[in-house]
Amino acid sequence: MTRQNNNGLLRWRTTTRTTATLFSFSCLCALLIPSGVVVSGFGILSSSSDIQIVGLPGGGPQSLPLSYVQRFQRWSMEKGEEEGDDNEMTLKKLKGLDSDDDDGFVNPTSTTELWWPSDIEDLEVRPTLDVLVQSGIPVYASGGLHVRVPPKAAADGMEWRNYGMNSQPLARQWTTFGFAVEPEFRVETFLGSILQNDDNNVDDNEGKAKWTALKSSTADDMKQTLGSFAEFLSSVDEDSPLSSGFHVISIPTVPEWSDLPQKSSSPFALVALATAEPDAKELLTMDSDLVAMTATSILAVQVSQIEAGAKSEYITDTYKPLYL
């Protein structure tokens, strides 16, 4: 069983009596600098951090500023890890989004970048269904990604989710929750790299993106995910934090984690598409307006190496266990 950073734990479970678990993560400070700007060649990446909502009645998209959405509390809904918890779902609160309860953590949410400190050897990801809940009611859905520093890569041998700024990506294009119940709706994830020529091989595709599929969910996986989410939501009562305000809940669509490729001086792209279209990979090269017409959700971030966390002059006691 993976050890967790359990400082200040609260837990909500799908039982008749709701209990709560505040899942504490550690993070890197705010003043690390990424390696560069958005790389050309990844057409699906955007320099705008604001969020677009598609699939609305009338056909036109709506926009929300990221500065507004960053105030929404984010949660992870996962199976319990304690003995006897196999059939219970647990809400784990992501630290850094509540200014009254952040314990020195920074906000990890980004719609454009994922930062990878150079002294973290491994990062792992898995696809999620992210649901925006307003006062206990699901409103919008998007493809998402859990990102973690696995225990083997952390100095303290523990799992870390919020390891600093730009460590937990969020989709920049959401769709309506009603679209998530379409029969073929699922989340597919991809890695993008820029093709380069070597001295002995000239290729007309130089500078273009090459996309490789990561672990993705099927339509059947999504049905099970939605079933678990519906069961959990039915247990929400007036004492639950979900009963008021806005919340983003991330539900893993598959349990397995995938390794990101080893760090490189060249940034690469990480994409999660939540769609009912038959060929998700084709959407990666389509015009953004055409993709919006399909009501597809897009999470697309550039993965960039940043300076070592252990060498940062701003590192504090909150996250020293990860790096030192």
Side-chain angles (χ1 to χ4, degrees), residues 23-294:
F23 190 54
S24 172
F25 301 116
S26 249
C27 64
L28 184 60
C29 66
L31 297 178
L32 294 177
I33 305 301
S35 60
V37 296
V38 173
V39 174
S40 61
F42 297 126
I44 199 168
L45 295 182
S46 174
S47 58
S48 172
S49 60
D50 291 343
I51 290 170
Q52 179 171 261
I53 301 171
V54 297
L56 297 167
Q62 295 182 359
S63 295
L64 292 173
L66 179 63
S67 58
Y68 175 63
V69 176
Q70 278 185 319
R71 303 173 188 172
F72 300 167
Q73 182 58 57
R74 296 181 65 180
W75 306 82
S76 174
M77 196 185 92
E78 303 178 34
K79 287 187 177 181
E81 296 169 343
E82 298 176 3
E83 186 176 354
D85 283 354
D86 292 345
N87 296 319
E88 295 182 354
M89 301 303 292
T90 301
L91 268 189
K92 298 177 179 179
K93 183 180 180 181
L94 185 61
K95 282 280 194 176
L97 294 106
D98 185 347
S99 58
D100 296 327
D101 184 33
D102 61 14
D103 291 342
F105 292 79
V106 298
N107 192 318
T109 299
S110 174
T111 58
T112 58
E113 294 185 277
L114 178 67
W115 289 357
W116 191 338
S118 60
D119 52 349
I120 297 296
E121 290 299 320
D122 299 290
L123 286 181
E124 296 178 344
V125 298
R126 65 180 175 187
T128 66
L129 172 68
D130 290 359
V131 181
L132 176 67
V133 173
Q134 180 182 5
S135 299
I137 305 298
V139 182
Y140 301 122
S142 62
L145 286 168
H146 279 159
V147 181
R148 74 171 183 174
V149 179
K152 64 182 180 180
D156 61 355
M158 301 174 75
E159 176 189 82
W160 294 71
R161 303 272 182 104
N162 181 344
Y163 57 86
M165 285 190 71
N166 300 336
S167 63
Q168 290 299 312
L170 188 68
R172 62 171 171 82
Q173 185 160 291
W174 299 353
T175 189
T176 60
F177 183 74
F179 187 64
V181 299
E182 290 288 319
E184 298 304 316
F185 187 81
R186 77 271 181 206
V187 178
E188 295 196 31
T189 57
F190 300 90
L191 278 174
S193 58
I194 298 298
L195 294 173
Q196 304 286 345
N197 287 337
D198 57 39
D199 294 337
N200 300 317
N201 183 24
V202 177
D203 190 336
D204 291 339
N205 290 321
E206 181 186 15
K208 295 182 179 180
K210 176 184 177 182
W211 295 101
T212 304
L214 280 173
K215 181 67 177 179
S216 299
S217 63
T218 65
D220 287 339
D221 292 328
M222 186 57 63
K223 291 175 184 177
Q224 294 181 18
T225 301
L226 287 168
S228 297
F229 175 67
E231 181 181 356
F232 182 87
L233 209 60
S234 68
S235 71
V236 171
D237 56 25
E238 61 182 10
D239 295 325
S240 169
L242 303 183
S243 63
S244 63
F246 293 92
H247 305 264
V248 177
I249 303 176
S250 298
I251 312 108
T253 56
V254 296
E256 299 87 4
W257 294 85
S258 298
D259 292 325
L260 288 183
Q262 291 298 310
K263 298 186 295 293
S264 168
S265 58
S266 299
F268 58 92
L270 183 60
V271 174
L273 301 177
T275 186
E277 292 297 298
D279 187 352
K281 193 172 184 178
E282 184 180 6
L283 299 173
L284 297 169
T285 56
M286 288 175 54
D287 180 81
S288 59
D289 291 338
L290 293 178
V291 177
M293 292 175 63
T294 69

